[in-house]
């Protein structure tokens, strides 16, 4: 409706995926839309790695491989899939898992999901390996000190947490849904189909067992990709959009 009243109006979305969905849903002409990616602050690139901090602060097993999930804990993001995939092999592979984020019980299915997760943790005596951290101001430091970020979501128009992880030098296993392939483009991070615990486990173990050279290459590719999402890039694109609007370039 706003386009009908003002032909000069322009919108931006946070990914090409979001642009395409917007056009399909609203029937807005393509010329009124553009993609301007989200950005992350520069300090995401400079956080120092401190594995002793993360192990001591969260009382994790010695020499454990630390996997983190970062974000709202809700059913559509499928954090439970991480436990389903790894609970049977945490001891054998010396894996520890931290769930960082708020449990949002207002989202349908989340309460039952969290109950199932906690039940598995208790039954398998994994309380010292799998922990719910809640919200934390130390996410950049935790990312820099962990071994892997796992993002098993069913929905994600962009995935800011993925960019933050790459900037900190953290490898990623995620799902190949919606805007995620855009964010992880040209990296060595592994994407799998959603809702598949077997494929998720396979990708996690493959990443954790990379050689030193493979790991170093993957981390560098991630950092290179994260550069594309610096604040200066977003600012440049926003200014370009404003300039085009103000100069009537339509």
């Amino acid at each position: 409706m706003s386009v009908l009243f003002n032909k000069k109006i322009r919108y931006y979305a946070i990914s090409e995926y979001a642009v395409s969905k917007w056009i399909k849903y609203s029937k807005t002409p393509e010329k009124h839309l553009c993609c301007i990616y989200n950005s992350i602050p520069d300090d995401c690139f400079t956080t120092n790695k401190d594995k002793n901090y993360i192990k001591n602060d969260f009382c994790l097993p010695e020499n454990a491989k630390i996997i983190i999930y970062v974000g709202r804990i809700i059913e559509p993001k499928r954090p439970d899939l991480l436990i389903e995939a790894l609970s049977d092999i945490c001891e054998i592979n010396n894996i520890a898992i931290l769930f960082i984020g708020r449990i949002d019980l207002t989202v349908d299915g989340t309460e039952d999901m969290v109950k199932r997760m906690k039940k598995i943790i208790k039954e398998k005596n994994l309380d010292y390996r799998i922990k719910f951290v809640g919200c934390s101001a130390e996410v950049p430091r935790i990312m820099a000190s962990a071994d892997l970020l796992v993002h098993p979501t069913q929905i994600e128009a962009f995935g800011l947490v993925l960019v933050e992880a790459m900037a900190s030098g953290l490898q990623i296993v995620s799902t190949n849904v919606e805007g995620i392939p855009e964010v992880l483009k040209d990296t060595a991070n592994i994407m799998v189909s959603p809702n598949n615990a077997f494929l998720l486990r396979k990708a996690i173990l493959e990443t954790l067992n990379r050689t030193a050279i493979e790991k170093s290459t993957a981390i560098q590719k991630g950092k290179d990709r994260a550069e594309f999402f610096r604040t200066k890039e977003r600012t440049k694109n926003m200014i370009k959009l404003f300039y085009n609007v103000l100069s009537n370039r339509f």
Side-chain angles (χ1 to χ4, degrees):
M1 288 182 65
S2 61
V3 170
L4 290 176
F5 285 106
N6 183 359
K7 297 298 183 183
K8 295 181 180 180
I9 199 165
R10 291 295 182 271
Y11 307 97
Y12 77 87
I14 58 175
S15 65
E16 294 292 351
Y17 166 81
V19 169
S20 67
K21 296 296 284 187
W22 194 341
I23 292 172
K24 184 177 180 180
Y25 174 76
S26 69
K27 304 298 189 288
T28 303
E30 188 174 348
K31 69 178 183 178
H32 290 271
L33 288 152
C34 69
C35 171
I36 298 180
Y37 288 119
N38 281 331
S39 63
I40 57 174
D42 289 345
D43 58 8
C44 289
F45 293 84
T46 58
T47 306
N48 293 323
K49 187 179 184 71
D50 185 359
K51 206 154 191 176
N52 287 329
Y53 147 73
I54 195 172
K55 287 180 178 177
N56 294 335
D57 210 51
F58 298 107
C59 301
L60 300 178
E62 188 68 24
N63 298 320
K65 296 173 182 176
I66 302 169
I67 295 174
I68 62 174
Y69 167 94
V70 180
R72 269 198 311 160
I73 297 174
I74 55 176
E75 195 277 336
K77 298 285 189 177
R78 293 302 313 271
D80 59 311
L81 204 66
L82 187 47
I83 289 182
E84 184 181 339
L86 298 180
S87 60
D88 289 338
I89 62 171
C90 278
E91 292 282 357
I92 297 173
N93 292 274
N94 195 15
I95 291 171
I97 305 171
L98 298 178
F99 290 96
I100 305 164
R102 175 172 63 92
I103 298 174
D104 189 350
L105 299 181
T106 65
V107 178
D108 290 345
T110 299
E111 186 171 4
D112 289 340
M113 179 194 71
V114 172
K115 286 180 180 178
R116 291 195 306 271
M117 293 170 72
K118 291 184 176 180
K119 182 180 179 182
I120 294 173
I121 293 170
K122 184 176 181 181
E123 288 177 347
K124 296 183 180 295
N125 297 314
L126 293 172
D127 303 72
Y128 72 107
R129 286 188 178 274
I130 304 177
K131 303 187 178 187
F132 291 87
V133 175
C135 295
S136 173
E138 295 289 324
V139 171
R141 191 176 179 189
I142 295 171
M143 281 186 170
S145 306
D147 294 290
L148 180 66
L149 174 87
V150 177
H151 195 62
T153 185
Q154 301 174 97
I155 55 170
E156 196 68 77
F158 180 75
L160 198 62
V161 67
L162 303 174
V163 181
E164 293 170 341
M166 290 190 291
S168 70
L170 185 58
Q171 297 183 92
I172 297 167
V173 169
S174 186
T175 44
N176 56 356
V177 299
E178 301 187 347
I180 290 177
E182 287 180 60
V183 175
L184 299 185
K185 180 183 177 182
D186 298 326
T187 72
N189 296 303
I190 300 177
M191 291 179 285
V192 299
S193 301
N195 305 313
N196 192 316
F198 173 77
L199 291 179
L200 190 68
R201 177 195 291 195
K202 183 180 178 182
I204 289 170
L205 292 178
E206 180 181 333
T207 303
L208 291 177
N209 292 322
R210 280 173 171 165
T211 65
I213 293 177
E214 290 172 336
K215 180 179 177 181
S216 177
T217 300
I219 288 173
Q220 188 56 54
K221 283 186 176 181
K223 287 184 174 182
D224 291 343
R225 180 59 178 161
E227 290 287 338
F228 188 74
F229 303 99
R230 280 190 183 268
T231 302
K232 65 180 181 181
E233 290 297 323
R234 177 177 171 82
T235 302
K236 180 177 69 177
N237 290 325
M238 289 294 290
I239 291 173
K240 181 180 178 181
L241 175 61
F242 291 145
Y243 176 78
N244 287 342
V245 171
L246 293 173
S247 61
N248 294 319
R249 291 190 176 182
F250 305 119

